Amino acid sequence: MGFKKMLVAVDGYEPSMGAFKKAIELAKDYQSQVVVLQVEEEVPLLPTEKMMEAVEKPITEEPLELAKAYADLMGVSVKIVKKVGPVAGAILATAKEENVDLILLGDSGRKGFQKLYFGSVAQAVTENADRPVLVIKKGWVDVSDLVELAARIVEKPEAIEIPVYDPRAVRENFIFSGTLFFVLTCLYFFAAIITSKPFKDIAALEIAGLPFGIWSGLILVVSGIILTRIYLTRQGGVS
């Protein structure tokens, strides 16, 4: 007997994410469709209630995002559904709407006073469902890969831009860079020739209180700085 369509409810905590992982495994075996449901309760818990309920930290605050990412990795197509309201009622209603063959839930493992105070979604769904319900016990499924994936999603590394090879841009850049290099080379050789022995008389000519040879060197240095800045500005390195 296989399952054509399954519903799994997630809340980001280990039990429900274990149930989700089991749903993905079954979907691969039976080529099933998976509906992933997250239900937000209409009445938020008080801080003291949250402390009592959250005996452990959730694997993720975004269970649907994690579920979609994991399903994509496993090659399983999932339908994402998010509802607001009583959790057990929303699960039962979605199961009917989607006409699933199986409901998967994680058992929170609550016992004693916590189970009495908060109730048990798994118990309520199991008692009222008109179709099979598979409850995954806490710790039964290894969710270490989901934990690792959740951490990677939180990090959200910036997309790495891969430069695109553009022959036209490369040619234009080569011509531009070559022109600047040619101008700087000409200035360099001009300064070198002027300060050489055959042109020592020209280099000695005084202009504004300095020999022409000194002016040639200063012009070469300033020109080198200007050309470098022009090149960097063109490349976007300096505004």
Side-chain angles (χ1 to χ4, degrees):
M1 175 183 175
F3 302 102
K4 295 180 179 178
K5 198 172 187 180
M6 296 178 288
L7 169 67
V8 58
V10 296
D11 60 4
Y13 286 86
E14 180 193 337
S16 72
M17 299 314 296
F20 163 74
K21 185 173 177 180
K22 177 56 67 177
I24 295 298
E25 293 174 358
L26 292 174
K28 294 183 71 173
D29 291 340
Y30 294 113
Q31 300 298 309
S32 312
Q33 298 178 24
V34 178
V35 179
V36 185
L37 171 67
Q38 180 187 9
V39 183
E40 292 184 353
E41 294 179 284
E42 289 179 317
V43 181
L45 297 176
L46 297 172
T48 52
E49 292 175 321
K50 288 183 178 179
M51 291 176 62
M52 294 169 59
E53 185 188 48
V55 293
E56 295 179 3
K57 291 183 178 179
I59 293 175
T60 176
E61 298 289 348
E62 302 292 340
L64 293 181
E65 182 180 0
L66 176 59
K68 181 69 169 61
Y70 187 80
D72 288 343
L73 286 175
M74 296 295 108
V76 176
S77 177
V78 295
K79 179 179 179 179
I80 300 298
V81 178
K82 191 170 186 177
K83 290 187 173 181
V84 177
V87 179
I91 293 172
L92 293 169
T94 305
K96 286 186 178 180
E97 292 167 6
E98 298 291 339
N99 193 27
V100 300
D101 304 307
L102 178 67
I103 302 173
L104 290 96
L105 299 171
D107 183 9
S108 64
R110 289 176 187 149
K111 296 179 180 178
F113 175 76
Q114 280 195 332
K115 189 171 184 178
L116 179 65
Y117 186 85
F118 292 107
S120 170
V121 172
Q123 183 177 351
V125 172
T126 303
E127 291 177 352
N128 295 283
D130 57 357
R131 61 204 70 207
V133 179
L134 177 60
V135 178
I136 305 299
K137 290 288 185 180
K138 181 181 179 183
W140 182 255
V141 177
D142 179 10
V143 295
S144 57
D145 49 353
L146 282 166
V147 174
E148 182 180 345
L149 180 59
R152 286 163 50 193
I153 291 175
V154 170
E155 291 174 359
K156 291 183 177 178
E158 295 182 358
I160 300 174
E161 294 186 3
I162 301 175
V164 178
Y165 176 70
D166 184 353
R168 181 181 176 184
V170 172
R171 184 173 63 255
E172 291 179 352
N173 189 52
F174 178 78
I175 294 174
F176 179 74
S177 304
T179 302
L180 295 181
F181 182 74
F182 176 76
V183 172
L184 185 61
T185 302
C186 290
L187 291 172
Y188 173 80
F189 280 106
F190 175 76
I193 291 173
I194 287 299
T195 55
S196 65
K197 188 175 181 179
F199 298 94
K200 62 179 180 180
D201 293 337
I202 298 176
L205 290 175
E206 192 169 298
I207 301 175
L210 289 176
F212 183 63
I214 298 297
W215 280 113
S216 300
L218 292 173
I219 293 172
L220 175 63
V221 172
V222 173
S223 300
I225 294 173
I226 293 174
L227 292 174
T228 301
R229 188 166 184 82
I230 291 173
Y231 175 80
L232 292 176
T233 301
R234 170 68 178 267
Q235 299 303 317
V238 176
S239 58

